[in-house]
Amino acid sequence: MFSMSEAGRRSRTPSAEVERELLSAAEAVLVRDGPGGLTVRAVAAEAGIAPMGVYNRLGGKDGLVDALLIKGFDRLRAAIESPDDPDMRTRLRDGGLRYREFALANPHFYAIMFEDAIPSKSTREPASARWSAPWRWHPRRA
């Protein structure tokens, strides 16, 4: 039998899920409020945790933005990747069309990825490295 205080308490989110919840909350805030509305407090409120949780898990706003950038570049790469069509022109044209579709469907992600809508003190190398990988020249594809 549970006491009233045990039954009324919100169960704690397992540690492994906190970062995923924060990232999901950050994406929801980004889509709803745009890049200007993405704050530590807004994300924490959306996730239902204390703002300090964003600092503890992601290092604050810069870490939050970096995690969103990585998520955005991963999605973009997945959107533009195609089977190895032997015709390079077809691959390039189709990849460009899928890139445009991604940009139009994800304007807030696109803004933080390519328009620097949220300036960050941290380096953007981890996110941009994910972007450049599928576009590197490969001898078998030439």
Side-chain angles (χ1 to χ4, degrees), residues 11-22 49 53 56-57:
S11 63
R12 291 185 61 119
T13 303
S15 182
E17 293 178 26
V18 172
E19 204 167 309
R20 278 191 303 264
E21 284 190 21
L22 284 171
I49 66 164
N56 291 338
R57 292 290 174 184

Side-chain angles (χ1 to χ4, degrees), residues 84-105:
D84 286 335
D85 188 315
D87 181 27
M88 190 178 285
R89 278 184 250 163
T90 301
R91 259 194 346 257
L92 182 60
R93 184 195 70 227
D94 291 350
L97 291 172
R98 286 189 297 274
Y99 174 94
R100 183 175 184 276
E101 288 170 6
F102 173 87
L104 292 172

Side-chain angles (χ1 to χ4, degrees), residues 73-90:
F73 281 113
D74 284 348
R75 283 185 181 173
L76 176 58
R77 186 179 64 230
I80 63 174
E81 283 180 344
S82 67
D84 286 335
D85 188 315
D87 181 27
M88 190 178 285
R89 278 184 250 163
T90 301

Side-chain angles (χ1 to χ4, degrees), residues 22 40 44-45 48-55:
L22 284 171
V40 168
I49 66 164
M52 198 62 200
V54 177
Y55 292 97

